[in-house]
Amino acid sequence: MRLKTLGVFVVTILALFTLFYWLTDAPRRTDAATTQEEELLDFGKVVFANDPTNPASAGCARCHGDDGKGGKVPNDPNGAVAPNLHSPSLASKLKTNPDYVHLAVSYGGVVVSGRVDSPMPAWSTEVGGPLTVQQIDAVVALVKSWAAAAPTTAQEVDDTPEAGQQVYNAAGCAGCHGADLAGVQGTFPNLQTIGSELVTDLPTKPSQLDQMKADYKNDKRTFLEQWIRDSAANYNDGTPTGMPPHPEGELTDSQLRALITFLLEQK
C-alpha cells in the first residue's frame, strides 16, 4: 500500500513538473532568444567599430562613421561617400531584399550596385575577406536593427544644392551613379550633365522616350520629379526601368526638391 501511495505521489509530482515546464517554456524561450539577440548586437558593435587593438573589429566605422550615419571614404580618389545605415532608403531595400546587407557585406558593394569600382570591399572569408560567418552575422544584425529603427518620415531639408547633394548621398543615389555622378557605362547612367541635357543612353529604353524628351524640354524639374518618383509608371507603362521608385514615404517632397536642385546644377 505504501508503495502504491509513493507511486501516486511520484507520478503527481512529475505531472505537476511537466505542466509547470510546459507553461513556462514559451517565456523561457523568449528570454533566451532576447538574450541571444542582445549578445549578437553587442558583438556586431565590436565588429563595426574602428578599433585596431581588437582583432574582432573590422573597422566599418572608418567609412560609415562611429554612429553608422555615413561619411567620406578615406583616400577614395572619387570622393565616395559611405551611406547612412540608419536611413529609410536602406529599410526600403531590405523590405524588397532581406539579404541586401548580408550580400553587400559578404561579397562587396558590386553585388548590390553593379559598380565594379565600388569602395565597399568583400568581407567574407569565402571570397578571401577577413571576416568569419559569426562576425558577418553580427554586423549584419546590427545594421538591420539600425535600418528597422529608421524614422518612417524622412527629415525636411532646405532647397539648396548643398542639401540636395546630402540627399543624393543619403538616399543611395551615389551607390549606383557614383559620388561623381559618372555612373557605370551600360548599367547606370552618367548624370554629370543632367542639368543641360536629357540622358537617353539608358540600359533599358523606356517605351515613352519621346514623352520623356518632351517633358524634359518643357520643364526639367517636373520631368525629374516624375522620373525619380516612379520612372516605370510614368514613362514605361509600368514595366521596371532599372531606376527604383522613390515614394514620398522614402523621399519627402522637400528632399526631392533639394535633390533635383542639386542635379540641375550639373551641366
Coordinates of all heavy atoms in Angstrom, one line a residue, residues 3 6 19 27 41 48 55 58 71 75 81 103 120 150 160 167 181 192 194-195 220 230 248:
L3 N 3.9 1.5 -1.2 CA 4.5 1.6 -2.5 C 3.5 2.2 -3.5 O 3.9 3.0 -4.3 CB 5.0 0.2 -3.0 CG 6.2 -0.3 -2.3 CD1 6.5 -1.7 -2.8 CD2 7.4 0.6 -2.5
L6 N 3.3 5.9 -2.7 CA 4.5 6.5 -3.1 C 4.5 6.7 -4.6 O 4.9 7.7 -5.2 CB 5.7 5.7 -2.7 CG 7.1 6.3 -3.1 CD1 7.3 7.7 -2.5 CD2 8.2 5.3 -2.7
L19 N 3.7 20.0 -16.2 CA 2.8 21.1 -16.5 C 3.5 22.5 -16.3 O 3.3 23.4 -17.2 CB 1.6 21.0 -15.6 CG 0.5 22.1 -15.7 CD1 -0.1 22.1 -17.1 CD2 -0.6 22.0 -14.6
P27 N 7.8 31.6 -22.4 CA 8.6 32.7 -21.8 C 10.1 32.5 -21.7 O 10.9 33.4 -22.0 CB 8.0 32.9 -20.5 CG 6.6 32.3 -20.5 CD 6.8 31.2 -21.5
L41 N 24.0 41.6 -31.2 CA 24.1 43.0 -31.5 C 25.3 43.6 -30.8 O 26.0 44.5 -31.4 CB 22.8 43.8 -31.0 CG 21.6 43.5 -31.8 CD1 20.4 44.2 -31.2 CD2 21.7 43.8 -33.3
F48 N 31.8 46.3 -35.9 CA 31.6 47.5 -36.7 C 32.7 48.6 -36.3 O 33.1 49.4 -37.1 CB 30.2 48.1 -36.4 CG 29.8 49.2 -37.3 CD1 29.3 49.1 -38.5 CD2 30.1 50.5 -36.8 CE1 28.9 50.1 -39.3 CE2 29.7 51.6 -37.6 CZ 29.2 51.4 -38.9
P55 N 41.2 42.4 -32.4 CA 41.2 41.5 -33.6 C 39.8 41.3 -34.3 O 39.7 41.0 -35.4 CB 41.8 40.2 -33.1 CG 42.5 40.6 -31.9 CD 41.8 41.7 -31.3
A58 N 36.3 45.1 -37.5 CA 36.5 45.1 -39.0 C 36.8 46.6 -39.4 O 37.2 46.8 -40.5 CB 35.3 44.6 -39.7
G71 N 29.7 58.8 -44.1 CA 30.8 59.8 -44.2 C 31.6 59.5 -45.4 O 31.4 58.5 -46.1
N75 N 40.6 58.3 -48.4 CA 41.6 58.1 -49.6 C 40.9 57.6 -50.8 O 41.6 57.1 -51.7 CB 42.7 57.1 -49.1 CG 43.4 57.6 -47.9 OD1 43.7 58.8 -47.8 ND2 43.7 56.7 -47.0
V81 N 31.2 58.5 -50.9 CA 30.6 58.7 -49.5 C 29.9 57.4 -49.1 O 29.1 56.8 -49.8 CB 29.5 59.8 -49.6 CG1 28.8 60.0 -48.3 CG2 30.2 61.1 -50.0
L103 N 24.5 40.5 -48.4 CA 25.2 40.3 -49.7 C 26.3 41.4 -49.8 O 27.4 41.2 -50.3 CB 24.2 40.5 -50.8 CG 23.3 39.3 -51.0 CD1 22.2 39.6 -52.0 CD2 24.0 38.1 -51.5
M120 N 33.1 49.6 -51.4 CA 32.7 48.6 -50.4 C 33.3 47.3 -50.8 O 32.9 46.6 -51.7 CB 31.2 48.5 -50.3 CG 30.7 47.4 -49.3 SD 31.1 47.8 -47.6 CE 30.3 46.4 -46.8
A150 N 14.8 53.2 -38.4 CA 14.9 54.4 -39.2 C 13.5 55.1 -39.1 O 12.5 54.5 -39.1 CB 15.3 54.1 -40.6
T160 N 18.4 73.6 -51.4 CA 19.7 74.1 -51.9 C 20.5 73.0 -52.5 O 20.3 71.8 -52.2 CB 20.5 74.7 -50.7 OG1 20.8 73.6 -49.8 CG2 19.8 75.8 -49.9
V167 N 21.2 64.7 -49.8 CA 20.1 63.7 -50.1 C 20.6 62.7 -51.1 O 20.3 61.5 -51.0 CB 18.9 64.5 -50.6 CG1 17.8 63.5 -51.1 CG2 18.3 65.4 -49.6
L181 N 28.8 61.2 -59.9 CA 27.7 61.2 -60.9 C 28.0 60.6 -62.2 O 27.3 60.7 -63.2 CB 27.0 62.6 -61.1 CG 26.2 63.2 -59.9 CD1 27.1 63.8 -58.9 CD2 25.2 64.2 -60.4
Q192 N 26.3 63.6 -65.0 CA 27.2 64.8 -64.9 C 26.7 66.0 -65.7 O 27.1 67.1 -65.4 CB 28.6 64.4 -65.3 CG 29.3 63.5 -64.2 CD 30.7 63.1 -64.7 OE1 30.9 62.9 -65.8 NE2 31.5 62.9 -63.7
I194 N 23.1 66.2 -66.5 CA 21.7 66.1 -66.5 C 21.0 67.4 -66.4 O 19.8 67.6 -66.8 CB 21.2 65.2 -65.3 CG1 19.7 64.9 -65.3 CG2 21.6 65.9 -63.9 CD1 19.3 64.1 -66.5
G195 N 21.7 68.5 -66.0 CA 21.0 69.8 -65.9 C 20.9 70.5 -67.2 O 20.2 71.5 -67.4
K220 N 12.3 70.8 -66.9 CA 13.2 69.8 -66.4 C 12.9 69.4 -65.0 O 13.0 68.2 -64.7 CB 14.7 70.4 -66.4 CG 15.1 70.8 -67.8 CD 16.5 71.5 -67.8 CE 16.9 71.9 -69.2 NZ 18.2 72.7 -69.1
D230 N 8.7 57.7 -59.9 CA 8.3 56.4 -60.4 C 8.5 56.3 -61.9 O 7.6 56.6 -62.7 CB 6.9 56.0 -60.1 CG 6.6 54.5 -60.2 OD1 7.3 53.8 -61.0 OD2 5.6 54.0 -59.6
E248 N 7.0 59.1 -51.5 CA 7.1 60.1 -50.5 C 7.5 59.6 -49.2 O 8.2 60.3 -48.4 CB 5.8 60.9 -50.4 CG 5.9 62.2 -49.6 CD 4.7 63.1 -49.7 OE1 3.8 62.8 -50.5 OE2 4.6 64.0 -48.8

